[in-house]
Amino acid sequence: MAGVRSAGSYQEEVAPNLLSVRVIRARNIPWADWTSNADCYVCLWLPTATNEHSRTKTIANSSNPVWEETFQFKICGNVKNVMHLTLHDEDTISQNDALYTVLFDVGNVPIGKALRKTFLLNSKGKEDLEVEFKMQTIPSRPEKLLTNSVLVSREVSCLEVCIDKQKIPEHLHGKGLVLTVKNSGQKTHKMMLNPVDVPNHIESRCFHCIKKWEPELIANIEDVITIKDSPYGTLTVPLQSLSVGKEEKVELYASPAKPLELKLSAKDCTQKLDIRLGFDICSEEKNFLHKRSKVIAAALKKVLKLDRDLKEHEIPLIAITTTGGGTRAMTSLYGTLSGLKKLNLLDCVSYITGASGSTWAITKLYEDAEWSQKDLAVPIEDARRNVTKNKSSAFSLDRLSFYRDELNKRAEQGYKTSFTDFWGLLIESMFHDGVNETKLSDQQKALVRGQNPLPLCLAMNVKHIENTTVDFKEWCEFSPYEVGLLKYGAFIRSEQFGSEFFMGRLTKRLPESRICYLQGLWSNIFSISLMDAWYAAVSSDNFWHRFTRDNIQDLDGEEALRKKRTSPNLTSRLVKPAGLFGNTVREMLTNRPIDGEHHNFLKGFQIHKDYCQHKGFVAWEDTQLDNCPNQLTPSTEELCLVDSAYYINASFPPLLRKERKVDIILSFDYGLTGQFQSVEQTHSYCTQQDISFPKIELSKKDLENPKECHVFTNSGKPDVPVILHFPLVNDTFREFKAPGVKRSPEEMEDGVVPLSGMFTPYNLLNLTYNEQSFNQLLNLAEYNVQNSEELILQTLRDAIAQKQKSWTGTTD
């Protein structure tokens, strides 16, 4: 194996191996029903070697079936090859029952030696499955892999299938041509055999395949009866039989009449990826930070009254993080930014992150490339007008017709449309004047000189069904430059989000989405499942979780179990399905009927054999599926992206990437209850993941009467950011309309902001405020920042001193 390392990713060359799996027998399999023994067969699945499942013959009515069948798989040793061996009971009436599934890491099979394994299927009984594995090298050209030690991109071939619409035989008009390459990213395409006008009269379809899988094309014409050993109706072409880079013609007969001519072209895809593999921030972001540092240095000199310019290594990296909360979060964020602007602190900030409703304000502001350099009165007035206007017109028949047309247009472009898209269009109608044509990548204009903070919006990738958010969640960040899943160190250009990828190559480019569709994604709380709602309500899912989850047991023995704390990547596991009733209940409880599915830009990637040891992956892995590589996101067709706020209503994760080196986080919590919940939950999460985050220590007084700002720090640990947490509280604002300026008796009513109670105007589902409610919330958020000026300034001074101290220690 040879490796050439570069920034973030590197190349490995690996020769393939041949794995032989001999399924020998099973013992003591219990009766399937009251009248007979089980009718057993074993299904083998190794998704890193093929998309197809293999299976043994069925042994009828036997508690001790013997198969003695051998299956072979060509594998790549540098990916995580985990085989699923599932023992089934065949049933001609009902669905075949999966009795047990053994997950076995075949990377532990020694080269040239047979490894015989007896898998215990029941710790309380004598059921077992006996299988023999053998690995051997085969003469073959080494395969070139690209990897970041978590994801692996393998060599890919592309097959293009073309037909000339003018040469379709008349007897085939109106029929459908089905093209299938099972071992490909696309799997199946269908073309209608109608002589319609298309560019150059040529219609084509492409398949992308892992080259070493040796795929084959199967073409058949619908409604043509195929007879065994007959040449009519179907055609099979191994891709290996085609000359790379050369067009070849084949003929598909549906009858003795004129055949359909297909033109096939095979080529090797470039090794260059359209996805950036690596855990570092991108070069554009680094360039932005360098430019932004000059703006920050000038702002800090002014606000702290420094007698000299700060050097770049002395400048603390400051970020704003916000929570969700619908219209409340949007309105409050305008007040927050206004307060920072009036204190001349907005130019000291490098990042601003948002989740859910706070992203509505962020996306609106970044339509103006100079927004933070201007008076915020104009965008605030625009927000006031849109928040206080009647929203009924957004649901008029004309608007509903417009939404339908927009969604149809989006579907024609190739997007997977859903309620999330409809919700985004509603947000646009309610809080924007007319159609907003801006896109996420347009926000790059606001960063070209470092004139504004860099915005980062957060979403969460979950499973569409079968798994709760507790079981599976992955942080997905959106910046004007890139969209990426933090756990995998994989990022695509922001304008490519929604396009189709396979193995890191862009296979179908779609037009970039308008920003409203991303707003719908970032704030789609409607995607919650019943199980997640239960968890959110009672903070416990123990009963239903245990009742519906498959039973997973490690089969490696006590010695391996003792090593689990340092290396969770064990050799084999046993999965006992939850059963028909349990599966039915689980599907009902975990189904997300109103979710947002998007083309998975990680599709096709395989998992590196050492992924569990990579610090970047380990920092963000936190669920049981992270030990089951075949169930991770690269193996799925779609991303299921939802509002992150209903798991942790905060947007910290993008700022906690160690590569960003954030020193100070101004945390603004716009929740009406649990004023410290966002930081407490984040602290708990980070403690479990060993991510740097300060301790959240609160006194009884803090909990009973929260102040406008609370400081959390781990003294003496420069890698841990300082958190200045601003809960949404109505404390001294009751008596002061500005810091140090008391209210007159006539103004006291303005200081009573109804943040609690059944009739508060600020509840999550209320999208319209009257002008007084809007102004009160806006002014409260602005005041709370301004009243904390000295605390913020002292934190800045301390951070600069710490940076200077660390630099001196480094240079010494």
Side-chain angles (χ1 to χ4, degrees):
M1 180 186 74
V4 180
R5 292 182 180 271
S6 61
S9 62
Y10 58 95
Q11 187 179 98
E12 296 177 337
E13 290 190 1
V14 185
N17 293 324
L18 184 66
L19 172 71
S20 297
V21 182
R22 182 162 68 100
V23 182
I24 302 172
R25 63 182 300 164
R27 298 182 184 89
N28 304 309
I29 304 304
W31 285 15
D33 52 47
W34 294 107
T35 61
S36 67
N37 292 310
D39 305 320
C40 291
Y41 68 92
V42 176
C43 184
L44 299 85
W45 182 47
L46 184 57
T48 50
T50 176
N51 284 337
E52 300 185 63
H53 290 67
S54 302
R55 58 160 289 179
T56 66
K57 60 181 177 289
T58 299
I59 305 298
N61 192 24
S62 175
S63 297
N64 299 286
V66 177
W67 293 281
E68 288 291 353
E69 293 186 51
T70 300
F71 303 86
Q72 292 187 325
F73 303 87
K74 187 182 291 186
I75 68 170
C76 172
N78 275 30
V79 303
K80 197 66 173 173
N81 294 294
V82 177
M83 173 165 281
H84 293 228
L85 298 156
T86 304
L87 182 65
H88 289 267
D89 172 28
E90 188 171 89
D91 195 320
T92 57
I93 299 176
S94 63
Q95 183 179 1
N96 293 346
D97 294 325
L99 303 177
Y100 308 96
T101 296
V102 173
L103 278 58
F104 179 67
D105 184 355
V106 301
N108 293 283
V109 178
I111 299 290
K113 294 183 180 179
L115 177 65
R116 197 156 178 157
K117 297 282 291 185
T118 299
F119 299 107
L120 188 63
L121 303 179
N122 187 345
S123 59
K124 298 179 181 179
K126 297 181 180 180
E127 300 102 298
D128 62 41
L129 175 67
E130 190 173 348
V131 183
E132 183 182 82
F133 302 89
K134 188 173 182 179
M135 191 84 70
Q136 62 190 65
T137 59
I138 53 177
S140 179
R141 179 184 64 83
E143 183 177 6
K144 294 180 180 179
L145 311 177
L146 287 174
T147 181
N148 63 354
S149 294
V150 174
L151 297 177
V152 175
S153 175
R154 301 181 63 179
E155 293 182 0
V156 173
S157 295
C158 175
L159 171 67
E160 185 177 30
V161 183
C162 300
I163 60 172
D164 188 332
K165 287 285 189 173
Q166 290 186 326
K167 295 183 179 181
I168 298 174
E170 188 174 346
H171 68 283
L172 295 180
H173 288 180
K175 294 185 179 296
L177 173 65
V178 180
L179 304 169
T180 303
V181 180
K182 294 180 180 178
N183 277 328
S184 71
Q186 292 79 7
K187 294 185 178 64
T188 301
H189 284 305
K190 182 177 179 180
M191 303 168 70
M192 295 307 299
L193 299 178
N194 295 319
V196 296
D197 290 331
V198 293
N200 301 319
H201 308 290
I202 302 298
E203 188 169 355
S204 64
R205 296 290 187 272
C206 286
F207 294 92
H208 293 81
C209 326
I210 296 177
K211 193 172 182 180
K212 291 291 183 181
W213 281 10
E214 302 177 2
E216 62 181 17
L217 169 70
I218 301 173
N220 65 340
I221 298 173
E222 290 183 327
D223 302 324
V224 173
I225 299 175
T226 59
I227 303 173
K228 188 177 181 180
D229 299 326
S230 167
Y232 300 136
T234 187
L235 174 72
T236 300
V237 181
L239 268 63
Q240 276 193 321
S241 68
L242 302 175
S243 300
V244 175
K246 181 181 177 181
E247 183 178 87
E248 300 187 24
K249 297 179 182 179
V250 296
E251 293 179 335
L252 173 58
Y253 284 85
S255 68
K258 184 179 178 181
L260 175 67
E261 182 180 272
L262 306 179
K263 295 180 180 179
L264 309 180
S265 300
K267 64 179 181 179
D268 293 336
C269 293
T270 174
Q271 278 292 94
K272 183 179 179 182
L273 303 185
D274 297 302
I275 287 180
R276 183 176 69 85
L277 292 181
F279 288 83
D280 200 358
I281 58 177
C282 65
S283 58
E284 293 91 342
E285 185 173 333
K286 292 178 180 178
N287 186 45
F288 159 79
L289 290 173
H290 175 68
K291 294 177 180 178
R292 185 65 177 172
S293 67
K294 295 178 172 56
V295 177
I296 294 171
L300 288 173
K301 182 179 181 181
K302 178 180 179 181
V303 75
L304 296 177
K305 300 180 174 58
L306 303 177
D307 56 4
R308 67 172 178 85
D309 294 329
L310 292 173
K311 297 178 181 178
E312 192 162 351
H313 68 265
E314 298 176 307
I315 301 172
L317 201 152
I318 306 161
I320 294 170
T321 186
T322 61
T323 66
T327 309
R328 179 181 67 250
M330 179 182 71
T331 304
S332 299
L333 180 52
Y334 278 113
T336 293
L337 296 174
S338 179
L340 292 170
K341 175 75 174 176
K342 291 179 179 179
L343 294 178
N344 296 312
L345 289 171
L346 194 50
D347 279 343
C348 301
V349 175
S350 293
Y351 294 102
I352 177 170
T353 69
S356 199
S358 60
T359 66
W360 303 351
I362 292 172
T363 52
K364 180 62 179 179
L365 287 168
Y366 278 85
E367 291 176 25
D368 184 347
E370 307 295 329
W371 72 268
S372 70
Q373 304 305 308
K374 298 178 179 179
D375 189 344
L376 294 183
V378 174
I380 287 174
E381 179 54 38
D382 180 78
R384 179 185 290 109
R385 178 171 48 79
N386 280 297
V387 169
T388 58
K389 74 182 182 184
N390 189 300
K391 306 295 191 298
S392 60
S393 61
F395 300 91
S396 67
L397 291 177
D398 286 345
R399 294 307 295 171
L400 292 175
S401 177
F402 168 76
Y403 304 150
R404 181 196 60 200
D405 293 343
E406 286 291 293
L407 294 177
N408 287 340
K409 185 191 306 181
R410 186 167 172 80
E412 289 170 1
Q413 292 174 339
Y415 280 97
K416 295 176 177 293
T417 59
S418 66
F419 177 84
T420 301
D421 299 314
F422 174 66
W423 173 235
L425 290 168
L426 276 177
I427 294 171
E428 179 183 66
S429 288
M430 291 187 289
F431 298 109
H432 200 280
D433 297 324
V435 175
N436 182 6
E437 296 291 349
T438 61
K439 303 173 178 64
L440 181 60
S441 63
D442 292 336
Q443 295 178 0
Q444 295 175 20
K445 300 171 187 175
L447 308 173
V448 290
R449 303 189 320 279
Q451 69 268 38
N452 300 294
L454 192 153
L456 299 166
C457 294
L458 186 66
M460 197 163 57
N461 181 45
V462 297
K463 293 289 187 181
H464 168 70
I465 199 169
E466 292 190 352
N467 295 100
T468 68
T469 302
V470 174
D471 278 332
F472 186 85
K473 58 192 171 297
E474 298 173 336
W475 304 112
C476 183
E477 72 170 35
F478 293 73
S479 87
Y481 302 122
E482 292 186 322
V483 176
L485 287 161
L486 305 190
K487 183 164 71 181
Y488 302 101
F491 301 84
I492 58 172
R493 303 298 305 170
S494 58
E495 57 268 25
Q496 294 175 346
F497 176 72
S499 294
E500 296 183 33
F501 288 79
F502 179 75
M503 200 65 79
R505 283 84 170 179
L506 180 64
T507 59
K508 184 178 180 181
R509 184 187 295 274
L510 302 186
E512 184 178 1
S513 294
R514 296 196 292 115
I515 198 70
C516 71
Y517 293 114
L518 297 182
Q519 289 177 320
L521 183 163
W522 296 328
S523 60
N524 183 15
I525 60 169
F526 306 106
S527 59
I528 194 169
S529 68
L530 291 176
M531 185 82 87
D532 289 332
W534 171 277
Y535 178 80
V538 301
S539 296
S540 173
D541 63 347
N542 289 342
F543 174 72
W544 290 108
H545 200 187
R546 293 174 183 174
F547 180 66
T548 59
R549 179 190 274 182
D550 294 335
N551 183 6
I552 300 177
Q553 302 173 18
D554 296 309
L555 298 178
D556 293 290
E558 294 183 4
E559 182 179 351
L561 291 174
R562 285 196 294 270
K563 298 178 181 178
K564 186 173 183 180
R565 184 175 298 276
T566 57
S567 179
N569 192 25
L570 298 182
T571 303
S572 55
R573 292 181 178 82
L574 173 67
V575 178
K576 294 183 180 180
L580 178 61
F581 180 68
N583 282 332
T584 302
V585 174
R586 177 171 61 184
E587 289 184 9
M588 179 180 69
L589 294 178
T590 60
N591 186 29
R592 303 175 191 276
I594 309 178
D595 61 8
E597 294 186 348
H598 305 267
H599 294 299
N600 179 11
F601 57 84
L602 296 190
K603 181 180 176 180
F605 274 115
Q606 296 184 353
I607 303 295
H608 195 274
K609 65 182 180 65
D610 298 325
Y611 79 105
C612 276
Q613 280 71 53
H614 195 287
K615 292 182 179 179
F617 182 89
V618 171
W620 301 104
E621 61 91 15
D622 63 351
T623 62
Q624 67 165 8
L625 292 189
D626 291 320
N627 290 327
C628 301
N630 295 341
Q631 293 179 271
L632 292 178
T633 296
S635 65
T636 62
E637 291 289 323
E638 291 92 19
L639 299 175
C640 184
L641 293 170
V642 301
D643 188 338
S644 63
Y646 70 77
Y647 175 65
I648 297 179
N649 187 16
S651 51
F652 283 103
L655 304 178
L656 301 179
R657 291 174 58 187
K658 62 182 181 61
E659 297 81 9
R660 288 207 164 105
K661 302 175 183 177
V662 176
D663 298 297
I664 300 171
I665 300 178
L666 307 179
S667 165
F668 294 94
D669 190 329
Y670 301 133
L672 294 179
T673 59
Q675 285 83 357
F676 300 99
Q677 185 172 325
S678 61
V679 287
E680 287 182 314
Q681 288 182 334
T682 302
H683 172 258
S684 177
Y685 178 86
C686 291
T687 299
Q688 295 171 11
Q689 307 308 120
D690 198 25
I691 298 172
S692 296
F693 199 82
K695 295 179 180 178
I696 307 300
E697 297 179 332
L698 297 162
S699 66
K700 184 178 179 181
K701 182 179 179 181
D702 291 334
L703 294 171
E704 292 177 350
N705 296 294
K707 303 187 293 290
E708 287 95 351
C709 181
H710 298 257
V711 181
F712 303 110
T713 180
N714 280 9
S715 300
K717 295 184 178 180
D719 62 324
V720 178
V722 176
I723 307 292
L724 275 70
H725 185 65
F726 297 79
L728 189 61
V729 296
N730 190 16
D731 189 18
T732 58
F733 183 70
R734 294 176 180 274
E735 298 181 19
F736 294 86
K737 63 180 181 181
V741 182
K742 279 205 165 190
R743 296 185 183 277
S744 66
E746 295 78 16
E747 295 169 327
M748 293 301 289
E749 184 179 349
D750 293 334
V752 181
V753 186
L755 296 177
S756 60
M758 184 182 299
F759 301 105
T760 176
Y762 306 118
N763 68 69
L764 181 63
L765 298 181
N766 187 16
L767 300 173
T768 305
Y769 300 163
N770 60 39
E771 191 163 340
Q772 180 185 12
S773 296
F774 179 91
N775 291 338
Q776 282 187 304
L777 185 58
L778 178 87
N779 294 336
L780 172 66
E782 179 183 289
Y783 170 87
N784 285 355
V785 172
Q786 290 181 301
N787 199 47
S788 306
E789 179 180 14
E790 285 305 316
L791 199 54
I792 298 172
L793 295 181
Q794 185 56 51
T795 303
L796 294 178
R797 295 187 190 98
D798 293 343
I800 292 171
Q802 180 63 48
K803 300 282 283 187
Q804 292 169 336
K805 180 181 177 182
S806 298
W807 179 261
T808 302
T810 301
T811 55
D812 289 347

